mmCIF file of all heavy atoms in Angstrom:
data_model
loop_
_atom_site.group_PDB
_atom_site.id
_atom_site.type_symbol
_atom_site.label_atom_id
_atom_site.label_comp_id
_atom_site.label_asym_id
_atom_site.label_seq_id
_atom_site.Cartn_x
_atom_site.Cartn_y
_atom_site.Cartn_z
ATOM 1 N N LYS A 569 -32.435 -11.865 -100.471
ATOM 2 C CA LYS A 569 -32.752 -10.468 -100.831
ATOM 3 C C LYS A 569 -32.493 -9.482 -99.702
ATOM 4 O O LYS A 569 -33.017 -8.384 -99.696
ATOM 5 C CB LYS A 569 -34.219 -10.348 -101.281
ATOM 6 C CG LYS A 569 -34.564 -11.236 -102.443
ATOM 7 C CD LYS A 569 -35.997 -11.030 -102.858
ATOM 8 C CE LYS A 569 -36.356 -12.027 -103.960
ATOM 9 N NZ LYS A 569 -37.789 -12.204 -104.035
ATOM 10 N N HIS A 570 -31.737 -9.900 -98.664
ATOM 11 C CA HIS A 570 -31.384 -8.958 -97.600
ATOM 12 C C HIS A 570 -29.891 -8.676 -97.673
ATOM 13 O O HIS A 570 -29.102 -9.567 -98.006
ATOM 14 C CB HIS A 570 -31.725 -9.539 -96.222
ATOM 15 C CG HIS A 570 -33.198 -9.676 -95.999
ATOM 16 N ND1 HIS A 570 -33.999 -8.633 -95.606
ATOM 17 C CD2 HIS A 570 -34.032 -10.742 -96.155
ATOM 18 C CE1 HIS A 570 -35.247 -9.031 -95.511
ATOM 19 N NE2 HIS A 570 -35.302 -10.317 -95.844
ATOM 20 N N ILE A 571 -29.529 -7.424 -97.352
ATOM 21 C CA ILE A 571 -28.114 -7.040 -97.408
ATOM 22 C C ILE A 571 -27.642 -6.663 -95.998
ATOM 23 O O ILE A 571 -28.297 -5.871 -95.317
ATOM 24 C CB ILE A 571 -27.914 -5.807 -98.338
ATOM 25 C CG1 ILE A 571 -28.521 -6.091 -99.712
ATOM 26 C CG2 ILE A 571 -26.434 -5.455 -98.432
ATOM 27 C CD1 ILE A 571 -28.527 -4.877 -100.605
ATOM 28 N N LEU A 572 -26.515 -7.244 -95.567
ATOM 29 C CA LEU A 572 -25.928 -6.860 -94.268
ATOM 30 C C LEU A 572 -24.604 -6.166 -94.528
ATOM 31 O O LEU A 572 -23.734 -6.701 -95.230
ATOM 32 C CB LEU A 572 -25.709 -8.104 -93.401
ATOM 33 C CG LEU A 572 -24.989 -7.836 -92.074
ATOM 34 C CD1 LEU A 572 -25.869 -6.998 -91.159
ATOM 35 C CD2 LEU A 572 -24.596 -9.129 -91.393
ATOM 36 N N HIS A 573 -24.476 -4.955 -93.983
ATOM 37 C CA HIS A 573 -23.254 -4.165 -94.144
ATOM 38 C C HIS A 573 -22.460 -4.306 -92.838
ATOM 39 O O HIS A 573 -22.846 -3.743 -91.827
ATOM 40 C CB HIS A 573 -23.639 -2.698 -94.403
ATOM 41 C CG HIS A 573 -22.458 -1.829 -94.705
ATOM 42 N ND1 HIS A 573 -21.724 -1.933 -95.868
ATOM 43 C CD2 HIS A 573 -21.898 -0.809 -93.994
ATOM 44 C CE1 HIS A 573 -20.758 -1.031 -95.866
ATOM 45 N NE2 HIS A 573 -20.840 -0.337 -94.737
ATOM 46 N N SER A 574 -21.400 -5.117 -92.824
ATOM 47 C CA SER A 574 -20.656 -5.295 -91.557
ATOM 48 C C SER A 574 -19.188 -5.591 -91.818
ATOM 49 O O SER A 574 -18.805 -5.951 -92.939
ATOM 50 C CB SER A 574 -21.252 -6.447 -90.757
ATOM 51 O OG SER A 574 -20.952 -7.659 -91.428
ATOM 52 N N ARG A 575 -18.385 -5.438 -90.733
ATOM 53 C CA ARG A 575 -16.952 -5.697 -90.885
ATOM 54 C C ARG A 575 -16.680 -7.180 -90.625
ATOM 55 O O ARG A 575 -17.204 -7.744 -89.665
ATOM 56 C CB ARG A 575 -16.161 -4.858 -89.874
ATOM 57 C CG ARG A 575 -16.531 -3.390 -89.946
ATOM 58 C CD ARG A 575 -15.780 -2.597 -88.912
ATOM 59 N NE ARG A 575 -14.518 -2.097 -89.463
ATOM 60 C CZ ARG A 575 -13.791 -1.155 -88.884
ATOM 61 N NH1 ARG A 575 -14.176 -0.628 -87.738
ATOM 62 N NH2 ARG A 575 -12.667 -0.734 -89.417
ATOM 63 N N PRO A 576 -15.881 -7.800 -91.448
ATOM 64 C CA PRO A 576 -15.618 -9.235 -91.264
ATOM 65 C C PRO A 576 -14.658 -9.491 -90.079
ATOM 66 O O PRO A 576 -13.794 -8.663 -89.799
ATOM 67 C CB PRO A 576 -14.982 -9.665 -92.585
ATOM 68 C CG PRO A 576 -14.416 -8.425 -93.167
ATOM 69 C CD PRO A 576 -15.215 -7.262 -92.663
ATOM 70 N N TYR A 577 -14.875 -10.637 -89.379
ATOM 71 C CA TYR A 577 -13.940 -11.040 -88.323
ATOM 72 C C TYR A 577 -14.036 -12.554 -88.230
ATOM 73 O O TYR A 577 -15.113 -13.100 -87.991
ATOM 74 C CB TYR A 577 -14.349 -10.420 -86.983
ATOM 75 C CG TYR A 577 -13.257 -10.521 -85.918
ATOM 76 C CD1 TYR A 577 -12.361 -9.462 -85.730
ATOM 77 C CD2 TYR A 577 -13.110 -11.655 -85.129
ATOM 78 C CE1 TYR A 577 -11.361 -9.540 -84.776
ATOM 79 C CE2 TYR A 577 -12.101 -11.740 -84.178
ATOM 80 C CZ TYR A 577 -11.233 -10.682 -84.003
ATOM 81 O OH TYR A 577 -10.225 -10.749 -83.071
ATOM 82 N N LYS A 578 -12.914 -13.232 -88.455
ATOM 83 C CA LYS A 578 -12.960 -14.696 -88.391
ATOM 84 C C LYS A 578 -12.387 -15.188 -87.066
ATOM 85 O O LYS A 578 -11.192 -15.023 -86.812
ATOM 86 C CB LYS A 578 -12.178 -15.297 -89.562
ATOM 87 C CG LYS A 578 -12.981 -15.306 -90.840
ATOM 88 C CD LYS A 578 -12.469 -16.376 -91.788
ATOM 89 C CE LYS A 578 -13.464 -16.631 -92.894
ATOM 90 N NZ LYS A 578 -13.014 -17.685 -93.794
ATOM 91 N N VAL A 579 -13.258 -15.744 -86.254
ATOM 92 C CA VAL A 579 -12.803 -16.233 -84.939
ATOM 93 C C VAL A 579 -11.748 -17.320 -85.117
ATOM 94 O O VAL A 579 -10.817 -17.446 -84.323
ATOM 95 C CB VAL A 579 -14.006 -16.772 -84.137
ATOM 96 C CG1 VAL A 579 -13.568 -17.418 -82.846
ATOM 97 C CG2 VAL A 579 -14.977 -15.636 -83.849
ATOM 98 N N SER A 580 -11.848 -18.076 -86.208
ATOM 99 C CA SER A 580 -10.920 -19.190 -86.372
ATOM 100 C C SER A 580 -9.534 -18.717 -86.825
ATOM 101 O O SER A 580 -8.616 -19.511 -86.909
ATOM 102 C CB SER A 580 -11.477 -20.197 -87.380
ATOM 103 O OG SER A 580 -11.634 -19.544 -88.620
ATOM 104 N N GLN A 581 -9.393 -17.408 -87.155
ATOM 105 C CA GLN A 581 -8.083 -16.952 -87.630
ATOM 106 C C GLN A 581 -7.525 -15.796 -86.807
ATOM 107 O O GLN A 581 -6.322 -15.551 -86.819
ATOM 108 C CB GLN A 581 -8.192 -16.509 -89.106
ATOM 109 C CG GLN A 581 -8.422 -17.705 -90.019
ATOM 110 C CD GLN A 581 -8.832 -17.274 -91.418
ATOM 111 O OE1 GLN A 581 -8.731 -16.095 -91.745
ATOM 112 N NE2 GLN A 581 -9.285 -18.218 -92.215
ATOM 113 N N GLU A 582 -8.394 -15.051 -86.122
ATOM 114 C CA GLU A 582 -7.914 -13.865 -85.411
ATOM 115 C C GLU A 582 -8.014 -14.086 -83.897
ATOM 116 O O GLU A 582 -8.696 -15.000 -83.462
ATOM 117 C CB GLU A 582 -8.749 -12.652 -85.869
ATOM 118 C CG GLU A 582 -8.618 -12.441 -87.369
ATOM 119 C CD GLU A 582 -9.325 -11.198 -87.870
ATOM 120 O OE1 GLU A 582 -9.034 -10.113 -87.342
ATOM 121 O OE2 GLU A 582 -10.178 -11.327 -88.758
ATOM 122 N N PRO A 583 -7.326 -13.236 -83.108
ATOM 123 C CA PRO A 583 -7.341 -13.471 -81.657
ATOM 124 C C PRO A 583 -8.728 -13.218 -81.050
ATOM 125 O O PRO A 583 -9.483 -12.385 -81.542
ATOM 126 C CB PRO A 583 -6.319 -12.465 -81.124
ATOM 127 C CG PRO A 583 -6.162 -11.452 -82.175
ATOM 128 C CD PRO A 583 -6.453 -12.114 -83.474
ATOM 129 N N VAL A 584 -9.035 -13.978 -79.998
ATOM 130 C CA VAL A 584 -10.330 -13.827 -79.329
ATOM 131 C C VAL A 584 -10.125 -14.111 -77.836
ATOM 132 O O VAL A 584 -9.254 -14.887 -77.475
ATOM 133 C CB VAL A 584 -11.371 -14.783 -79.964
ATOM 134 C CG1 VAL A 584 -10.924 -16.206 -79.908
ATOM 135 C CG2 VAL A 584 -12.721 -14.644 -79.308
ATOM 136 N N SER A 585 -10.890 -13.408 -76.985
ATOM 137 C CA SER A 585 -10.714 -13.604 -75.543
ATOM 138 C C SER A 585 -12.039 -13.996 -74.906
ATOM 139 O O SER A 585 -13.106 -13.572 -75.341
ATOM 140 C CB SER A 585 -10.221 -12.307 -74.894
ATOM 141 O OG SER A 585 -10.356 -12.409 -73.497
ATOM 142 N N ILE A 586 -11.928 -14.791 -73.844
ATOM 143 C CA ILE A 586 -13.132 -15.254 -73.159
ATOM 144 C C ILE A 586 -13.505 -14.289 -72.027
ATOM 145 O O ILE A 586 -14.580 -14.371 -71.459
ATOM 146 C CB ILE A 586 -12.865 -16.696 -72.644
ATOM 147 C CG1 ILE A 586 -14.124 -17.556 -72.741
ATOM 148 C CG2 ILE A 586 -12.310 -16.717 -71.236
ATOM 149 C CD1 ILE A 586 -13.829 -19.033 -72.717
ATOM 150 N N HIS A 587 -12.584 -13.367 -71.682
ATOM 151 C CA HIS A 587 -12.829 -12.431 -70.575
ATOM 152 C C HIS A 587 -13.373 -11.107 -71.095
ATOM 153 O O HIS A 587 -12.647 -10.357 -71.737
ATOM 154 C CB HIS A 587 -11.529 -12.173 -69.805
ATOM 155 C CG HIS A 587 -11.011 -13.387 -69.107
ATOM 156 N ND1 HIS A 587 -11.525 -13.842 -67.926
ATOM 157 C CD2 HIS A 587 -10.026 -14.262 -69.446
ATOM 158 C CE1 HIS A 587 -10.884 -14.944 -67.557
ATOM 159 N NE2 HIS A 587 -9.971 -15.215 -68.465
ATOM 160 N N LEU A 588 -14.654 -10.834 -70.809
ATOM 161 C CA LEU A 588 -15.265 -9.583 -71.277
ATOM 162 C C LEU A 588 -16.114 -8.978 -70.165
ATOM 163 O O LEU A 588 -17.318 -8.769 -70.333
ATOM 164 C CB LEU A 588 -16.171 -9.867 -72.497
ATOM 165 C CG LEU A 588 -15.521 -10.614 -73.658
ATOM 166 C CD1 LEU A 588 -16.592 -11.156 -74.574
ATOM 167 C CD2 LEU A 588 -14.575 -9.688 -74.416
ATOM 168 N N PRO A 589 -15.528 -8.703 -69.000
ATOM 169 C CA PRO A 589 -16.386 -8.316 -67.868
ATOM 170 C C PRO A 589 -17.167 -7.035 -68.100
ATOM 171 O O PRO A 589 -18.295 -6.906 -67.639
ATOM 172 C CB PRO A 589 -15.402 -8.161 -66.705
ATOM 173 C CG PRO A 589 -14.059 -8.059 -67.320
ATOM 174 C CD PRO A 589 -14.107 -8.762 -68.624
ATOM 175 N N ILE A 590 -16.599 -6.059 -68.857
ATOM 176 C CA ILE A 590 -17.319 -4.784 -69.011
ATOM 177 C C ILE A 590 -18.549 -4.970 -69.897
ATOM 178 O O ILE A 590 -19.648 -4.498 -69.580
ATOM 179 C CB ILE A 590 -16.385 -3.684 -69.564
ATOM 180 C CG1 ILE A 590 -15.257 -3.432 -68.563
ATOM 181 C CG2 ILE A 590 -17.154 -2.392 -69.794
ATOM 182 C CD1 ILE A 590 -14.370 -2.259 -68.884
ATOM 183 N N SER A 591 -18.374 -5.685 -71.009
ATOM 184 C CA SER A 591 -19.533 -5.925 -71.892
ATOM 185 C C SER A 591 -20.635 -6.620 -71.107
ATOM 186 O O SER A 591 -21.818 -6.281 -71.221
ATOM 187 C CB SER A 591 -19.144 -6.835 -73.065
ATOM 188 O OG SER A 591 -17.930 -6.416 -73.618
#
Side-chain angles (χ1 to χ4, degrees):
K569 302 182 185 159
H570 292 278
I571 306 172
L572 175 67
H573 185 69
S574 70
R575 308 178 91 166
Y577 194 94
K578 279 204 166 182
V579 174
S580 61
Q581 290 168 12
E582 301 185 55
V584 57
S585 166
I586 216 160
H587 295 282
L588 306 164
I590 297 188
S591 315

